[in-house]
Amino acid sequence: MKYVLVTGGVVSGLGKGVTASSIGLLLKECGLRITAIKIDPYLNTDAGTMSPFEHGEVFVLDDGGEVDLDLGNYERFLDIKLTSDNNITTGKIFQHVINKERKGDYLGKTVQVVPHITDAIQEWIERVAMIPVDGREGPADVCVIELGGTIGATIFSRHNESSILDAGDIESMPFIEAMSQFSHRVGSGNFYLVHVSLVPVLNVVGEQEQKAHEALIKTLNLQGIVKEPLLEEWSVHARICDALHDPVRIAIVGKYTGLSDSYISVLEALLHASTACKKKLVVDWVPSSDLEDNTTLEALELHKAAWKQLKGANAVLVPGGFGDRGVEGKILAAKYARENHVPFLGICLGMQIAVVEFARSVMNLQDANSTEFDPHTTNPCIIFMPEGSKTHKGGTMRVGSRRTYFDVTDSKSAKLYGNPNFVDERHRHRYEINPDKVAEFEKAGLEFVGKDETRRRMEIVELPNHPYFVGVQFHPEFKSRPGKPSPLFLGLVEAACGKLDCLPVNAAHLSNSPKRAMSPANAYENGNPKKPAKSFSHRKIFPNANGVHA
């Protein structure tokens, strides 16, 4: 087993995750099998209870692991399925060591950071590196390890003449010491370091300041390994993206729009779908609270701007979230999309607010709500799941891969998936559609086309007489891949372009290749083929690691 460690210095947010993913991809295209591990030095056991504003999106794995968003990058780049153990945190390591101490595994010895914590880190890495993640038997050839946070004047050596000098984040110190030991443990020819560093240009002298960089930098030597990478498919994919000019505009209405990393998997899934549809993605971030009526009193211009963005979009997407801030704005967005036949996709909470809106506006249940936001509502459309915990937040949600069965085979969702009997998608929620009200909802016109194995838990809802109005309890964005877009995101983008009716029954299967031949399609304002979309040529489109947005 070969190990590649990716570290970062000076400042955080330099792109270690994308660097680690790219290195993994290059090695994979050379015929090597790759696995990946992300080390997060924070004391939390996992990312499940962390605010998206604090740490970006919480990515969900098949086994229910709530992990750092970088594991989403690894899965998308490398097309692998990781486990929760592929995300190491200080909390997990400390908990593991303390559990062993309570059992008496250390035989009365004083438990210390060195050697007990550092040994536990190394043993964890060696164990997880052996777990197959690509659907084949046997371990990978290379394990790419990303160390989160920043390190200071740290120098690794494969020749034993240097060691750790300093750490940037104090939480990183045990991991840095462990990795220094690990480099000797696995042997000089099996450990490589890539350091991502900032090289600023100082205005005073007009030159790059490289002293900190020079004190830290080590490079990965790929000579003799990567000769001519077989990256043709990715090259084709990149050329297609660069050549796209016909825009499709999607409004993302959410609570965390101030930090695009909060919705990074949603952005990536939209990019996958828009590229497959030969469209240039333009995302308008709409803070849901700005759509609410009370904003007219506090910030009238923000209110007007939010509604202008929403009404100018070809489609509306309401992603998942928690808490009551901005919920009424999301409900207004769902109402706008429903009444104006604008393509709509609601994910998790986005599905729930769509049902609440329908109950209020169509069924005339004025106080319809979720018990998450109004515990005393007389019309609880969304309820707390009976198996959930009301005393503990972390690790108590319904998470991970769960099966959804299609009860309506001619629904848009079933057709987009290729008309299977069921699909497996990743979940993360503690509230659900009230099963006792499903009959009322369906009598009024909603159609629950996908349910769990008990047929009591609603998974997919559609509005039949609408171009595309779909809500899902799961998170389809987590399994979308470049060249293999999520079927529901593909359906949203196709509907936004007025082309959904052109999709064959097994559209999801046909969209699996970035080389898929597709007929040219024009972008239409609000999905209306009679009303051409406005030109966006005057707007700047920014492609970056967080997606594409205006």
Side-chain angles (χ1 to χ4, degrees):
M1 174 72 71
K2 306 289 185 182
Y3 297 89
V4 178
L5 176 66
V6 179
T7 63
V10 186
V11 295
S12 59
L14 293 176
K16 296 188 300 295
V18 174
T19 300
S21 302
S22 300
I23 290 170
L25 178 64
L26 286 169
L27 296 175
K28 179 182 178 180
E29 294 300 335
C30 292
L32 298 172
R33 295 175 63 195
I34 310 299
T35 187
I37 293 174
K38 173 65 187 297
I39 297 174
D40 284 304
Y42 48 67
L43 287 171
N44 305 62
T45 300
D46 58 33
T49 58
M50 299 180 73
S51 166
F53 278 133
E54 180 83 16
H55 202 64
E57 170 190 85
V58 176
F59 190 78
V60 177
L61 302 170
D62 270 0
D63 67 0
E66 298 172 276
V67 297
D68 184 83
L69 61 84
D70 281 316
L71 275 79
N73 284 329
Y74 307 156
E75 286 205 345
R76 283 187 290 269
F77 271 73
L78 305 175
D79 197 17
I80 56 179
K81 289 185 178 181
L82 300 172
T83 71
S84 56
D85 283 348
N86 288 82
N87 193 186
I88 303 175
T89 68
T90 299
K92 285 182 180 179
I93 295 294
F94 278 24
Q95 191 173 59
H96 172 72
V97 170
I98 289 172
N99 287 342
K100 290 183 67 176
E101 185 274 331
R102 293 289 84 188
K103 288 166 59 180
D105 289 355
Y106 296 116
L107 301 176
K109 293 182 179 179
T110 301
V111 179
Q112 298 176 290
V113 172
V114 180
H116 301 101
I117 294 294
T118 52
D119 283 353
I121 293 168
Q122 296 174 70
E123 291 163 6
W124 192 300
I125 290 172
E126 286 187 319
R127 174 178 60 85
V128 173
M130 301 300 289
I131 299 173
V133 295
D134 57 3
R136 297 158 60 186
E137 294 184 358
D141 301 307
V142 179
C143 178
V144 179
I145 306 167
E146 178 190 347
L147 176 58
T150 62
I151 61 176
T154 303
I155 302 177
F156 283 91
S157 174
R158 289 176 294 188
H159 304 291
N160 298 329
E161 67 259 9
S162 302
S163 59
I164 300 303
L165 298 181
D166 186 22
D169 298 331
I170 193 169
E171 295 88 354
S172 301
M173 293 179 70
F175 293 100
I176 295 172
E177 174 61 28
M179 296 313 300
S180 179
Q181 296 177 17
F182 192 68
S183 66
H184 303 301
R185 177 173 178 155
V186 299
S188 61
N190 297 317
F191 186 88
Y192 303 87
L193 172 68
V194 176
H195 187 76
V196 183
S197 185
L198 175 69
V199 183
V201 175
L202 301 181
N203 289 334
V204 176
V205 295
E207 297 177 355
Q208 291 180 342
E209 175 53 61
Q210 301 190 56
K211 290 180 181 178
H213 175 72
E214 289 168 353
L216 298 169
I217 194 66
K218 284 279 184 178
T219 57
L220 176 66
N221 179 15
L222 289 176
Q223 292 179 0
I225 300 176
V226 180
K227 296 187 183 294
E228 295 194 17
L230 305 175
L231 296 173
E232 180 57 27
E233 182 174 329
W234 283 83
S235 298
V236 169
H237 203 58
R239 288 196 293 269
I240 290 174
C241 288
D242 291 342
L244 297 177
H245 299 291
D246 197 9
V248 58
R249 172 176 269 166
I250 310 294
I252 296 182
V253 182
K255 176 181 177 180
Y256 311 112
T257 54
L259 179 65
S260 58
D261 269 4
S262 300
Y263 302 114
I264 188 170
S265 290
V266 171
L267 280 167
E268 294 294 330
L270 285 172
L271 278 169
H272 303 161
S274 59
T275 302
C277 295
K278 298 290 196 299
K279 295 292 180 181
K280 189 170 188 66
L281 177 65
V282 180
V283 171
D284 275 328
W285 297 102
V286 182
S288 54
S289 56
D290 288 354
L291 296 171
E292 298 173 358
D293 292 339
N294 57 13
T295 310
T296 60
L297 303 176
E298 302 167 1
L300 180 59
E301 292 305 313
L302 291 178
H303 180 74
K304 289 180 178 179
W307 276 101
K308 183 178 180 180
Q309 285 182 306
L310 184 67
K311 292 181 178 180
N314 303 117
V316 176
L317 190 153
V318 178
F322 299 91
D324 60 359
R325 183 171 64 83
V327 164
E328 293 300 322
K330 296 175 184 178
I331 291 173
L332 289 171
K335 181 178 182 179
Y336 167 78
R338 180 183 59 79
E339 292 182 341
N340 293 276
H341 288 78
V342 178
F344 173 88
L345 177 60
I347 297 172
C348 198
L349 177 61
M351 168 190 174
Q352 296 173 5
I353 61 94
V355 172
V356 169
E357 188 282 318
F358 186 87
R360 290 181 184 180
S361 302
V362 178
M363 301 170 66
N364 203 29
L365 303 176
Q366 295 302 317
D367 74 331
N369 214 327
S370 166
T371 57
E372 179 181 4
F373 313 126
D374 182 4
H376 307 296
T377 175
T378 59
N379 286 289
C381 300
I382 314 298
I383 62 171
F384 191 83
M385 292 187 296
E387 68 268 35
S389 171
K390 293 189 177 182
T391 59
H392 289 72
K393 298 289 187 184
T396 59
M397 285 189 281
R398 181 175 180 250
V399 292
S401 182
R402 305 297 176 105
R403 186 154 289 180
T404 295
Y405 292 86
F406 286 105
D407 284 353
V408 182
T409 55
D410 63 345
S411 64
K412 291 183 177 68
S413 301
K415 290 179 180 178
L416 286 164
Y417 275 103
N419 275 342
N421 293 324
F422 60 83
V423 293
D424 295 319
E425 291 282 8
R426 298 177 182 179
H427 294 66
R428 184 175 183 250
H429 65 114
R430 56 171 57 94
Y431 288 83
E432 64 173 334
I433 305 295
N434 187 347
D436 295 335
K437 283 190 169 291
V438 168
E440 291 180 57
F441 294 144
E442 292 191 321
K443 185 178 179 180
L446 279 182
E447 197 167 30
F448 292 97
V449 302
K451 303 174 184 177
D452 78 340
E453 66 280 0
T454 69
R455 301 306 197 272
R456 289 272 297 169
R457 184 158 283 159
M458 304 301 109
E459 294 281 2
I460 307 175
V461 64
E462 293 186 8
L463 202 55
N465 298 320
H466 191 285
Y468 191 83
F469 195 95
V470 177
V472 291
Q473 187 59 72
F474 48 81
H475 289 264
E477 68 271 24
F478 290 144
K479 293 179 71 172
S480 185
R481 301 287 183 266
K484 294 185 287 186
S486 161
L488 298 179
F489 278 81
L490 184 68
L492 179 71
V493 174
E494 288 279 9
C497 302
K499 295 291 183 179
L500 182 62
D501 291 340
C502 300
L503 278 178
V505 171
N506 58 342
H509 171 72
L510 291 180
S511 67
N512 282 352
S513 170
K515 306 182 185 74
R516 171 188 171 198
M518 300 191 64
S519 57
N522 295 318
Y524 295 104
E525 187 101 32
N526 296 339
N528 184 351
K530 296 182 179 179
K531 186 178 181 182
K534 299 174 184 176
S535 170
F536 305 119
S537 58
H538 64 288
R539 303 175 69 86
K540 292 183 71 176
I541 310 297
F542 299 95
N544 55 39
N546 295 327
V548 180
H549 53 89

